[in-house]
Amino acid sequence: MRYSKEHKLETHARIVRKASVRLREKGAHGIGVADLMKDAGLTHGGFYAHFSSREQLVIEAFAYAMDRANERWRKLADDTPPREMLAIVVNNYLSAAHRDDPGRGCAVPALGAEIARESPKTRRAFAAKLEQMIATMATRFPDASPKAARKQAMATLATMMGALLMARVAGSGELSDAILEAGRDAALAGAMPAKPAPKAPARPRAARKPAAAAPSRTRTKAAPRR
């Protein structure tokens, strides 16, 4: 039975969506193609009708996950004053709900360490999506120059992603909650413009002593010779 082009595209998209969740839950190598296809309601044999290799599916699933993260950030910022957008993104990202649901969360803390060991093709695809995340985050710093905003965005993302990864490692108890709180504080504090250092008070000048009077040079008239 031949399926329409639209049906094939819908099936392809469903496989990618399902795979993006399972890969974030189990890791890039924690689940096989057969299980990924089963999650999508398909047989293993139909895999190559949609993908040339497992690597292609992994790349598309990663890209899908990171695109959804960017989309969520943009939605969170809708109708929000620019100066409040960053706090909304940080508090949403470093939350217990995000920590406890890696399958629907950010792909970087879930898969970043594994991606670093993947092929150059996979790393390039991942890096391109990371660049988009940095660009989106940079818009949260409207008062900074483009170069400064990009640098601040990278630092903020590194803080957020590192804190989320640590919180997941720690589980879901008090330590994990404390890590999330510390990460939120650090991400927001690091984004605050640096305050100029207070100027040291000027040292009072010493009063100048009046100059000593110069000795009189008046010459006395010599006594007349006799």
Side-chain angles (χ1 to χ4, degrees):
M1 178 179 177
R2 293 180 62 84
Y3 291 102
S4 67
K5 183 178 180 180
E6 290 76 15
H7 180 272
K8 185 174 181 179
L9 290 174
E10 289 174 3
T11 302
H12 185 104
R14 185 170 77 252
I15 297 170
V16 170
R17 286 197 305 271
K18 295 286 187 179
S20 76
V21 174
R22 295 290 278 165
L23 289 170
R24 281 174 282 175
E25 289 177 341
K26 301 294 184 180
H29 302 287
I31 184 169
V33 168
D35 290 326
L36 291 172
M37 293 296 285
K38 183 179 179 180
D39 283 347
L42 300 167
T43 63
H44 186 187
F47 176 80
Y48 289 102
H50 296 277
F51 306 97
S52 61
S53 64
R54 187 180 189 279
E55 181 181 47
Q56 182 191 348
L57 172 57
V58 169
I59 289 173
E60 289 192 33
F62 290 166
Y64 175 86
M66 296 182 79
D67 285 343
R68 298 292 75 72
N70 262 330
E71 184 179 331
R72 281 195 299 273
W73 289 358
R74 285 191 290 267
K75 286 183 178 179
L76 283 170
D78 285 348
D79 303 320
T80 304
R83 295 183 184 280
E84 296 177 17
M85 287 191 296
L86 179 63
I88 291 175
V89 169
V90 170
N91 290 328
N92 182 270
Y93 190 97
L94 292 175
S95 64
H98 189 192
R99 175 196 64 197
D100 299 339
D101 191 11
R104 291 173 177 77
C106 180
V108 179
L111 297 165
E114 292 182 76
I115 295 300
R117 303 187 187 97
E118 291 290 334
S119 69
K121 180 181 178 181
T122 302
R123 293 200 305 272
R124 284 194 299 270
F126 200 81
K129 293 299 179 180
L130 186 58
E131 282 278 8
Q132 292 178 9
M133 295 181 80
I134 292 170
T136 299
M137 178 60 76
T139 64
R140 307 306 185 241
F141 305 99
D143 297 332
S145 67
K147 182 177 180 180
R150 174 179 164 80
K151 184 176 181 179
Q152 187 61 65
M154 289 189 286
T156 303
L157 283 172
T159 301
M160 291 164 55
M161 292 171 177
L164 183 64
L165 178 58
M166 287 180 63
R168 285 177 176 165
V169 170
S172 57
E174 291 183 6
L175 175 59
S176 182
D177 290 341
I179 292 171
L180 289 176
E181 182 180 1
R184 290 191 297 266
D185 291 346
L188 293 174
M192 295 294 289
K195 294 182 179 180
K199 293 182 179 180
R203 295 179 61 184
R205 293 184 177 181
R208 300 180 65 179
K209 296 181 180 180
S216 175
R217 293 183 177 273
T218 305
R219 296 180 63 181
T220 56
K221 292 183 179 182
R225 291 184 178 179
R226 293 183 179 178

